[in-house]
Amino acid sequence: MSIKKALTIAGSDSGGGAGIQADLKTFQELGVFGTTALTAVTAQNTLGVQDVFPLTPQMVKSQMESVGDDIGVQALKTGMLFNAEIISAVSETISRYKWEKVVVDPVMIAKGGASLLQQEAVSALKSKLLPLAMVVTPNIPEAEVLIGMRIKTEEEKREAARKLFELGVRNVVIKGGHDENTSESIDLLYDGLVFKTFRSERIRTKNTHGTGCTFSAAITAELAKGAAVPDAVSTAKSYIQAAIEDQLTIGSGHGPTNHWAYKRKFMNV
């Protein structure tokens, strides 16, 4: 049996709900071997981010090279990249290894409001990393920053997807979790030709820490296994819905999602 491998290039969450911790849990639950390139160490919990210590761009690059030279990468995702220098190092290394199944989760702000991407890094993300992406997965506030427009309606969400596609991304997924005006959470996928929507019941809960990381990690795992992008997004939607529904209620703030809920719900594990 050929073991599929996925790489996450992201920050560490000491609370275990987001970042590389969430990514590795998701990879494991979906049957993919997970590897990491750490970009930053954060001190955080369900109440917020207390401290951030970024690694050097060279160290991030060295981790990626260690994985690429020996273990191999079928698909990868990026999460918290923090600054323009790290984004440049990550983009250059992806290009050198010719990794194609790249999922970019443009992490900008933590659930508690802390900034996880320096302002000057946004332009580097747009010009250097997004053109390498097979899939980009912004939530609505992140999409607004990336394209410089407000998104209030479904048509505006579609226009935002078109503008992100024009930056060189092959598939755009705009997540609907921040659209509180509907009883559903509606994610929109655009491949340059066709729009496809993925719907789920909106769960009213504060236990949503790490949802973006987990969703993008699930897409990455499915791409590593050979799934087409729409199928990978569909599985990721089911995975994160189960993780939100089956609440753990850990901590006194924004609690993490339940990474083992998907197997329990769909695989009777």
Side-chain angles (χ1 to χ4, degrees):
M1 182 179 68
S2 175
I3 304 298
K4 304 304 181 184
K5 286 89 66 178
L7 168 65
T8 170
I9 307 165
S12 169
D13 171 10
S14 55
I20 62 163
Q21 285 84 351
D23 295 342
L24 288 175
K25 291 172 186 178
T26 303
F27 291 164
Q28 185 82 7
E29 291 296 308
L30 292 173
V32 171
F33 184 82
T35 60
T36 65
L38 196 62
T39 61
V41 177
T42 72
Q44 65 175 296
N45 51 30
T46 68
L47 298 174
V49 178
Q50 289 79 47
D51 204 356
V52 178
F53 182 82
L55 275 69
T56 66
Q58 179 58 49
M59 185 59 190
V60 176
K61 176 184 173 185
S62 294
Q63 293 173 84
M64 294 173 67
E65 291 172 340
S66 293
V67 174
D69 289 344
D70 177 40
I71 297 169
V73 175
Q74 272 75 58
L76 69 87
K77 64 154 289 188
T78 66
M80 175 190 177
L81 297 177
F82 191 69
N83 60 38
E85 292 76 19
I86 290 176
I87 290 172
S88 294
V90 168
S91 302
E92 290 165 7
T93 308
I94 289 172
S95 295
R96 184 155 56 84
Y97 281 89
K98 296 182 171 58
W99 288 325
E100 294 188 354
K101 294 183 178 180
V102 177
V103 178
V104 174
D105 180 16
V107 176
M108 296 182 182
I109 301 173
K111 277 289 185 293
S115 176
L116 299 177
L117 183 69
Q118 294 181 347
Q119 185 60 42
E120 61 269 24
V122 174
S123 60
L125 182 72
K126 292 168 62 175
S127 64
K128 296 183 178 181
L129 188 57
L130 290 189
L132 302 176
M134 176 174 281
V135 185
V136 64
T137 62
N139 57 35
I140 289 174
E142 290 163 347
E144 289 179 336
V145 171
L146 288 171
I147 60 172
M149 66 174 277
R150 295 298 301 273
I151 303 171
K152 293 295 184 182
T153 67
E154 282 302 307
E155 183 49 46
E156 287 172 342
K157 192 186 290 186
R158 289 179 176 234
E159 179 60 23
R162 293 187 191 99
K163 289 182 178 294
L164 284 167
F165 182 82
E166 290 171 359
L167 294 176
V169 182
R170 282 167 281 169
N171 297 271
V172 178
V173 180
I174 298 183
K175 298 173 292 189
H178 283 73
D179 185 1
E180 296 286 349
N181 298 319
T182 172
S183 62
E184 294 181 301
S185 175
I186 306 172
D187 298 340
L188 180 69
L189 169 65
Y190 179 60
D191 65 359
L193 295 173
V194 177
F195 288 99
K196 184 176 178 61
T197 56
F198 300 83
R199 299 172 179 268
S200 63
E201 178 188 357
R202 181 176 298 278
I203 307 299
R204 303 292 178 179
T205 175
K206 66 177 183 177
N207 297 316
T208 55
H209 180 55
T211 50
C213 303
T214 300
F215 178 74
S216 58
I219 293 174
T220 306
E222 292 303 299
L223 292 176
K225 293 188 289 186
V229 170
D231 295 331
V233 174
S234 179
T235 297
K237 183 71 167 173
S238 297
Y239 184 93
I240 193 58
Q241 183 71 11
I244 295 172
E245 287 177 347
D246 195 350
Q247 297 186 47
L248 297 173
T249 315
I250 291 174
S252 54
H254 293 285
T257 64
N258 185 346
H259 290 92
W260 63 75
Y262 178 79
K263 274 188 177 179
R264 184 155 63 185
K265 180 175 182 179
F266 292 102
M267 302 179 186
N268 297 316
V269 175

